[in-house]
Amino acid sequence: MEDSKNSIYALKTSAGQERNVARLLATRSRETRNTDTFIGVEAILVPESLKGYIIVESSSRIDMRNPAMKIPHLRGVVEGNQSITLEEVKRFLKPEPIIASIKEGSVVELISGPFKGERAKVVRIDKSREEVVLELVEAAVPIPVTVEADQIRIIQKEAD
């Protein structure tokens, strides 16, 4: 059943598998182009800020009973209104920079660099240089470490 226009859907995935699901879904969509199991995916968005979900634009209704939709780590379509609006998607196209969401006192995890995997507390923020000064939580002596904001992941925000 073809819709007259494309619709946008949010699909649930296993956390951390969003890109793999998107890649497999794109491949499956190309493979089924001229078959009766066609899934009609026109575009796929994997927002960094939305863990466990991908956003899909489709020319046909997404039906999880379609055999072509049997993709590892794909859990289903977000229930409710089924289709979502372009306005709801636009906020994921230009996410706010991570530096804007960091506050002094927040607990973060370093995701790259020599201290990868270490937890630290934010001591100071330099928004103009997009850098943060951290103190490693498990260090015997508190040593300030300066890193770029994109090298950290917020674990616990400081209360306002």
Side-chain angles (χ1 to χ4, degrees), residues 79-141:
E79 295 300 322
N81 193 12
Q82 292 286 335
S83 180
I84 57 178
T85 65
L86 186 58
E87 294 304 314
E88 292 173 300
V89 174
K90 281 185 179 177
R91 65 184 179 150
F92 297 113
L93 297 177
K94 189 177 178 192
E96 72 175 23
I98 191 166
I99 194 84
S101 62
I102 300 171
K103 292 185 171 41
E104 288 185 19
S106 297
V107 177
V108 298
E109 178 182 1
L110 286 114
I111 56 173
S112 65
F115 298 107
K116 182 178 179 177
E118 293 285 330
R119 289 180 180 230
K121 186 174 182 179
V122 178
V123 177
R124 191 171 58 247
I125 302 165
D126 185 347
K127 291 188 180 189
S128 64
R129 300 172 94 184
E130 292 195 5
E131 292 180 339
V132 291
V133 178
L134 310 170
E135 282 185 357
L136 300 175
V137 172
E138 297 175 5
V141 177

Side-chain angles (χ1 to χ4, degrees), residues 24-35 37-38:
L24 289 167
L25 187 59
T27 301
R28 192 74 49 91
S29 179
R30 282 190 297 273
E31 290 171 351
T32 62
R33 179 108 9 225
N34 296 317
T35 68
T37 59
F38 178 61

